[in-house]
């Protein structure tokens, strides 16, 4: 692309300037710590180079100077006394004990290369797994490290990869692309862009964007658009601030989103409210979908979902009549065992109503670097690619999805089937506290390995439990980087302004180690050179872009009519039929049902009613909180003050029945395990369900007790059980009981 095709923000000040005694540097906020957004920030440093303050950049079109408490407190994270400051190692026999020895970076790299190469020579590169947690802007470098080592096992230790990837997989499988809500985020002039149209209605489904920003979607855009006349429909079990302002609030039972979407499709199709021209010309399999939705009459769906039938009909009609309508959805859709048919059904609502690739509808976001497909897949030899764990068990993985299937990896760790794992690289992840189901099983399995490396900002329960070497990662003010990730990407940079100890950026660590494993796969002199390679389409070097950023990529609507969504330049969508596949030939090839369907979560009220006497409540987990991101921020004083303890939200009526009250400590328990929680009595919850926050541990507690992680971790109750496709798992749809914690427990 030529430079003239890009657009740039107008700044009244350069990217670095003086403000009194402080130097101010414009940049982007990305991991670690924090979420997926990459907000525009101003970083203030003093004469010694210490980060003293962070503010939102009012000239950045993405967030207009707005920041959450996590970002405003980044200086406290960066300068925290408990940061990991240098590489450390310990004897494998001391795993679980606080017996660390400081080593140099050279010693650390030499040890890692020696151990991993020895495993490679004796057992094959596939017996080393390379694992990430939430990706943010680090996932690409981890995948490249794995594939340049010739390991096919680039992993994610979350059952069913049940975060983001199920929705990506579902939409790619049916349309050839990933879609996001159009809030004008792809335009430099945002809502004033003449091509843009404010959605008439936004459906917020399984996501609360004010605290949980998935798909690169900034939550305050909902408020911006509401001020411009947009209405909202909320699909959420809880009563929230947004739900209280919605045209319709559907309080769906957790795990029944597929049934709800199929019921709404039933209304739209049977009442002929769909866009007939678009369906006729640009979709495949409409007649089969029409037949399938007859199995989901609204009254039946109302019984399944706990949503009154008239609310379902009304929401469907609002969607069909809104021109345009868009959708912001999230993790709740992924965290259902059969998440792919759920996302297929939900997305179909917006395709058949003609909201695909139009102003104010759902759009395919522009990308600089593919986020979900990894970076460097060409480096993996074909022979090694065939050894990817889960490939034979889950055929969908053969059609473009690059991860090793997480549940199959866990099985390999436990049993040695299909082959034994000997080494592991864990980066941006704290599995035992946050991401792993049945975390004790994960710990016991990983402890069997010959050699385990972690990369992180702080000591965590996972590192303390299983690591042999830990490498200290930089926070974003300590490193250079690119703002790439989910959602609409743009040419934006992260600028290093400070240095703590011997910390290095994740990218620098991977580049330096990658050069030792496979120099030809990592030909760049340094990270800025590597970023410049990626930025080639912009015509800028990294340093040149730093002066101009943010830079916005060219964007068009109705690209399917211009041959811009297919690599071959043909009109239509990037699928076998060239159309949006309501009946998926992709799923059919993989031996899956090509049409959306609903399966009752099990255990659950619909699947196992016999368990309700002992476990009478539906448990959902993982709702986001303002001050913490997953397992991060527990040691940050100002953030922790906003949520000192792990909570469980319970309706007051339920509290009364169970003899508990607000502020009581209770055990939340099911047949797999239990976790300790503090009761928050609140009418926002349905009396039949409860909600726990997740990823809890206490950095102030004993390292030898793994910071109380097993006492607090709600994942003790969650199973390793993926969907048929290998995507999706029931993290939000379990049964449980509550009872008081006794003195001394």
């Amino acid at each position: 692309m030529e430079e003239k095709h890009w657009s740039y923000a107008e700044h009244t000040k350069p990217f670095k300037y003086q403000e009194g005694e402080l130097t101010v540097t414009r940049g982007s906020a990305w991991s670690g710590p924090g979420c997926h957004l990459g907000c525009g920030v101003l970083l203030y440093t003093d004469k010694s180079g210490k980060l003293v303050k962070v503010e939102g950049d009012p000239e950045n079109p993405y967030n207009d100077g707005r920041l959450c408490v996590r970002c405003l407190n980044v200086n406290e994270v960066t300068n925290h006394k408990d940061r990991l400051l240098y590489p450390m190692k310990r004897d494998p026999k001391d795993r679980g004990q606080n017996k660390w020895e400081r080593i140099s970076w050279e010693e650390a790299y030499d040890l890692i290369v020696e151990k991993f190469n020895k495993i490679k020579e004796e057992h094959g590169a596939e017996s080393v797994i390379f694992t990430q947690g939430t990706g943010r802007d680090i996932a690409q470098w981890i995948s490249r490290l794995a594939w340049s080592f010739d390991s096919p096992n680039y992993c994610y230790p979350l059952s069913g990869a049940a975060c983001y990837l199920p929705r990506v997989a579902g939409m790619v499988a049916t349309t050839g692309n990933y879609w996001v809500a159009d809030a004008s985020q792809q335009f430099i002039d945002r809502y004033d862009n003449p091509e843009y149209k404010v959605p008439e209605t936004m459906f917020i489904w399984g996501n609360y964007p004010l605290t949980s920003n998935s798909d690169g979607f900034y939550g305050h855009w909902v408020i911006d658009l509401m001020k411009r006349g947009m209405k909202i429909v909320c699909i959420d079990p809880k009563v929230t601030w947004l739900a209280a302002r919605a045209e319709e609030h559907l309080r769906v039972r957790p795990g029944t989103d597929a049934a709800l979407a199929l019921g709404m499709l039933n209304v739209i199709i049977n009442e002929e409210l769909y866009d007939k021209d678009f369906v006729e010309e640009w979709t495949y399999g409409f007649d089969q979908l029409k037949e399938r939705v007859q199995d989901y009459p609204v009254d039946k769906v109302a019984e399944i979902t706990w949503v009154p039938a008239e609310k379902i009909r009304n929401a469907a009609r609002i969607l069909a009549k809104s021109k345009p309508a868009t959708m912001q959805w999230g993790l709740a859709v992924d965290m259902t065992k059969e998440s792919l048919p759920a996302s297929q059904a939900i997305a179909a609502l917006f395709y058949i109503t003609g909201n695909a690739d139009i102003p104010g509808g759902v759009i395919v976001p522009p990308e600089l670097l593919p986020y979900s497909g990894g970076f460097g897949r060409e480096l993996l030899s074909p022979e090694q690619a065939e050894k990817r764990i889960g490939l034979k068990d889950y055929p969908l993985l053969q059609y473009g999805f690059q991860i090793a299937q997480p549940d199959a990896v866990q099985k390999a760790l436990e049993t040695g089937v299909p082959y034994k794992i000997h080494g592991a690289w864990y980066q941006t992840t704290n599995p035992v506290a946050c991401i792993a189901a049945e975390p004790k099983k994960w710990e016991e399995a990983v402890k069997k390995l010959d050699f385990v490396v972690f990369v992180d900002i702080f000591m965590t329960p996972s590192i303390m439990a299983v690591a042999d070497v830990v490498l200290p990662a930089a926070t974003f003010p300590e490193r250079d980087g690119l703002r790439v990730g989910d959602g609409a990407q743009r040419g934006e940079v992260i600028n290093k302004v400070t240095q703590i100890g011997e910390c290095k950026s994740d990218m620098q660590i991977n580049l330096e180690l990658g050069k030792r494993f496979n120099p030809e796969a990592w030909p760049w002199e340094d990270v800025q050179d590597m970023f410049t390679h990626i930025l080639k389409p912009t015509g800028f070097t990294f340093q040149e872009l730093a002066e101009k950023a943010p830079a916005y990529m060219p964007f068009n609507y109705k690209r399917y009519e211009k041959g811009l969504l297919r690599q071959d330049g043909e009109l239509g969508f990037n699928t076998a039929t060239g159309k949006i596949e309501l009946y998926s030939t992709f799923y059919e090839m993989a031996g899956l049902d090509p049409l959306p369907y609903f399966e009752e979560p099990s255990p659950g009220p619909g699947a196992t009613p016999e368990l309700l006497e002992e476990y009478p409540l539906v448990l959902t987990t993982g709702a986001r909180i303002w001050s913490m991101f997953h397992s991060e921020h527990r040691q940050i004083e100002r953030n922790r003050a906003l949520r000192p303890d792990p909570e469980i939200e319970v309706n007051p009526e339920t509290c009364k029945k169970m003899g508990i009250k607000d502020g009581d400590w209770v055990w939340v328990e099911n047949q797999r395990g239990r976790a300790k929680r503090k009761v928050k009595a609140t009418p926002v919850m349905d009396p039949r369900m409860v909600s726990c926050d997740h990823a809890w541990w206490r950095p102030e507690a004993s390292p030898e007790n793994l910071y109380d992680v097993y006492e607090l971790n709600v994942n003790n109750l969650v199973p390793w059980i993926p969907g048929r496709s290998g995507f999706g798992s029931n993290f939000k749809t379990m049964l449980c009981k509550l009872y008081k914690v006794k003195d001394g427990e």
Side-chain angles (χ1 to χ4, degrees):
M1 300 175 196
E2 299 291 334
E3 178 189 341
K4 65 176 180 292
H5 294 306
W6 289 64
S7 52
Y8 306 93
E10 293 294 327
H11 298 304
T12 60
K13 295 179 180 178
F15 91 100
K16 191 181 288 284
Y17 58 92
Q18 290 298 126
E19 190 169 288
E21 296 291 311
L22 301 178
T23 299
V24 186
T25 306
R26 173 177 283 116
S28 180
W30 216 316
S31 55
C35 73
H36 292 261
L37 288 186
C39 293
V41 291
L42 301 176
L43 304 173
Y44 291 75
T45 49
D46 64 16
K47 288 182 178 179
S48 69
K50 181 180 180 179
L51 179 69
V52 296
K53 185 170 67 169
V54 179
E55 291 181 345
D57 183 355
E59 296 179 5
N60 189 299
Y62 186 81
N63 58 306
D64 290 316
R66 298 172 290 197
L67 288 182
C68 73
V69 65
R70 295 189 299 264
C71 212
L72 291 168
N73 288 347
V74 162
N75 57 307
E76 189 175 336
V77 180
T78 297
N79 299 315
H80 199 279
K81 63 181 178 61
D82 294 334
R83 285 283 305 279
L84 292 171
L85 299 178
Y86 38 76
M88 296 188 294
K89 71 174 183 179
R90 67 180 171 190
D91 193 307
K93 68 178 173 50
D94 292 328
R95 289 173 180 169
Q97 299 180 57
N98 195 20
K99 294 184 177 181
W100 296 98
E101 173 191 345
R102 178 176 179 175
I103 56 176
S104 69
W105 276 101
E106 287 301 307
E107 288 176 287
Y109 286 152
D110 286 347
L111 180 58
I112 293 166
V113 170
E114 175 197 340
K115 293 288 189 180
F116 279 3
N117 279 341
K118 184 173 186 289
I119 292 170
K120 186 177 185 177
E121 289 164 11
E122 295 180 356
H123 307 286
E126 67 275 10
S127 63
V128 179
I129 60 174
F130 291 80
T131 306
Q132 69 167 79
T134 188
R136 296 174 285 194
D137 64 334
I138 297 170
Q140 296 90 346
W141 323 107
I142 302 171
S143 66
R144 191 173 190 91
L145 187 64
W147 295 331
S148 65
F149 184 75
D150 213 22
S151 172
N153 292 318
Y154 160 53
C155 311
Y156 188 48
L158 176 68
S159 179
C163 175
Y164 180 68
L165 284 180
R167 279 170 292 140
V168 174
M171 285 185 283
V172 169
T174 53
T175 72
N177 290 104
Y178 181 57
W179 300 79
V180 299
D182 182 8
S184 74
Q185 64 268 43
Q186 69 277 19
F187 296 124
I188 195 90
D189 49 357
R190 297 301 307 272
Y191 311 114
D192 295 328
N193 187 280
E195 292 187 56
Y196 181 65
K197 184 175 181 181
V198 172
E200 188 172 328
T201 308
M202 175 181 286
F203 281 67
I204 301 173
W205 200 311
N207 172 240
Y208 191 60
L210 299 186
T211 54
S212 178
N213 308 116
S214 65
D215 313 326
F217 186 94
Y218 192 74
H220 286 287
W221 297 343
V222 179
I223 311 301
D224 293 343
L225 291 169
M226 289 170 70
K227 289 177 179 177
R228 287 164 172 79
M230 184 185 77
K231 298 175 182 178
I232 58 172
V233 171
C234 287
I235 296 91
D236 194 321
K238 295 184 187 179
V239 179
T240 64
W241 187 90
L242 285 175
R245 287 153 179 81
E247 291 297 295
E248 195 66 86
H249 177 203
L250 310 184
R251 299 188 68 180
V252 63
R253 170 163 65 95
T256 63
D257 302 83
L260 178 59
L262 287 159
M264 291 172 64
L265 284 166
N266 179 292
V267 174
I268 291 170
I269 291 173
N270 288 341
E271 295 184 7
E272 298 191 4
L273 301 175
Y274 55 91
D275 185 325
K276 295 181 177 63
D277 291 339
F278 184 85
V279 166
E280 176 67 26
E281 188 168 359
W282 296 111
T283 70
Y284 173 83
F286 178 77
D287 289 341
Q288 292 95 321
L289 178 64
K290 180 177 181 178
E291 184 178 349
R292 173 61 58 89
V293 302
Q294 304 314 312
D295 295 336
Y296 297 90
V298 173
D299 289 340
K300 174 184 173 182
V301 168
E303 291 179 14
I304 293 170
T305 62
W306 299 351
V307 179
E310 279 313 302
K311 282 183 168 287
I312 298 171
R313 293 188 182 96
N314 189 42
R317 291 163 186 160
I318 289 172
L319 170 56
K321 293 173 183 177
S322 296
K323 305 296 179 188
T326 192
M327 171 184 60
Q328 173 57 22
W329 57 353
L331 199 65
V333 178
D334 300 326
M335 289 195 156
T336 302
K337 183 167 168 280
E338 294 306 323
S339 62
L340 255 62
S343 67
Q344 185 183 9
I346 294 167
L349 286 164
F350 295 84
Y351 303 147
I352 71 167
T353 50
N355 287 296
D357 212 16
I358 64 168
V362 291
I363 58 170
V364 176
E367 283 188 323
L368 270 172
L369 181 62
Y371 181 61
S372 58
F375 177 40
R377 68 177 72 179
E378 73 282 355
L379 300 170
L380 189 64
S381 68
E383 296 80 14
Q384 287 300 104
E386 287 298 314
K387 298 176 183 177
R388 181 160 41 124
I389 294 174
L391 202 59
K392 294 181 175 61
D393 299 320
Y394 300 101
L396 191 62
L397 296 177
Q398 298 175 16
Y399 299 98
F401 304 108
Q402 300 305 312
I403 62 164
Q405 205 283 328
D407 301 80
V409 171
Q410 178 66 19
K411 178 183 174 184
L413 288 167
E414 291 178 31
T415 67
V417 177
Y419 47 79
K420 191 173 180 182
I421 306 299
H422 288 269
W425 172 273
Y426 287 95
Q427 192 168 3
T428 79
T429 187
N430 181 9
V432 81
C434 180
I435 202 170
E438 299 177 89
K440 193 65 180 177
K441 286 177 66 173
W442 175 87
E443 181 195 347
E444 290 170 352
V446 175
K447 276 186 172 177
K448 298 177 185 177
L449 304 187
D450 302 338
F451 189 64
V452 180
V453 182
F454 268 75
V455 184
D456 215 312
I457 296 170
F458 290 95
M459 181 60 65
T460 67
S462 300
I463 297 171
M464 190 60 67
V466 301
D468 303 312
V469 170
V470 58
L471 305 179
T475 60
F476 73 79
E478 299 171 79
R479 66 172 175 85
D480 293 321
L482 297 178
R483 194 279 181 203
V484 291
D486 48 345
Q489 295 180 7
R490 56 193 184 272
E492 190 155 7
V493 299
I494 301 153
N495 293 306
K496 179 174 180 174
V497 300
T498 192
Q499 175 68 48
I500 302 296
E502 297 178 11
C503 299
K504 295 186 179 186
S505 75
D506 292 86
M507 299 79 179
Q508 184 177 353
I509 293 168
N510 290 22
L511 173 62
E512 291 173 352
L513 192 57
K515 279 178 172 290
R516 291 174 178 245
F517 284 142
N518 185 350
E520 291 183 2
W522 301 84
W524 306 286
E525 188 67 28
D526 54 32
V527 289
Q528 288 199 9
D529 187 30
M530 183 165 64
F531 299 149
T532 294
H533 167 80
I534 292 163
L535 288 169
K536 193 174 289 185
T538 72
F540 283 100
T541 66
F542 175 81
Q543 198 56 47
E544 288 168 343
L545 184 61
E547 300 283 349
K548 276 270 194 181
Y552 279 67
M553 300 171 73
F555 183 83
N556 296 287
Y557 288 110
K558 292 199 172 182
R559 282 165 288 176
Y560 60 89
E561 294 183 342
K562 303 163 187 165
L564 298 176
L565 290 181
R566 296 177 60 94
Q567 292 180 342
D568 58 14
E570 294 293 320
L571 303 187
F573 298 86
N574 194 30
T575 62
T577 60
K579 299 183 177 185
I580 287 177
E581 296 191 347
L582 305 171
Y583 178 104
S584 174
T585 60
F586 197 92
Y587 287 160
E588 194 170 38
M589 280 193 304
L592 300 170
D593 192 327
L595 290 164
Y597 60 89
F598 166 66
E599 181 179 286
E600 272 286 351
S602 181
T608 57
E610 69 278 6
L611 294 179
L612 290 175
E613 186 173 346
E614 183 173 4
Y615 302 110
L617 298 170
V618 173
L619 168 66
T620 187
T621 70
R624 301 296 184 258
I625 55 181
W626 294 104
S627 57
M628 300 174 184
F629 185 71
H630 292 307
S631 65
E632 294 175 4
H633 301 100
R634 296 302 188 281
Q635 60 278 94
I636 308 306
E637 186 177 352
R638 285 188 291 178
N639 296 60
R640 182 73 175 273
L642 294 172
R643 181 61 67 90
D645 300 302
E647 293 184 352
I648 183 166
E649 294 180 305
V650 188
N651 187 283
E653 179 185 319
T654 308
C655 286
K656 189 175 180 181
K657 271 186 190 176
M658 298 195 160
I660 58 178
K661 62 182 185 301
D662 187 71
D664 281 350
W665 281 91
V666 297
W667 290 108
V668 50
E669 182 178 300
N670 68 9
Q671 61 271 42
R672 291 181 194 88
R674 66 180 187 173
K676 193 181 285 186
R677 282 294 181 278
K678 192 174 185 178
V679 172
K680 180 181 179 181
T682 171
V684 305
M685 298 304 301
D686 187 296
R688 295 165 288 185
M689 66 173 287
V690 292
S691 175
C692 280
D693 46 10
H694 74 304
W696 269 93
W697 57 293
R698 292 189 179 110
E700 68 273 19
S702 166
E704 309 288 343
N705 196 40
L706 300 185
Y707 308 102
D708 295 347
V709 68
Y710 287 118
E711 179 182 281
L712 303 175
N713 192 349
V714 74
N715 285 3
N716 294 335
L717 288 75
V718 179
W720 286 93
I721 302 177
R724 293 184 184 90
S725 63
F727 291 97
S729 192
N730 284 339
F731 277 70
K732 294 183 179 290
T733 60
M734 294 161 287
L735 294 178
C736 74
K737 63 182 177 182
L738 306 181
Y739 56 95
K740 281 186 180 181
V741 172
K742 296 177 183 177
D743 290 343
E745 285 188 323

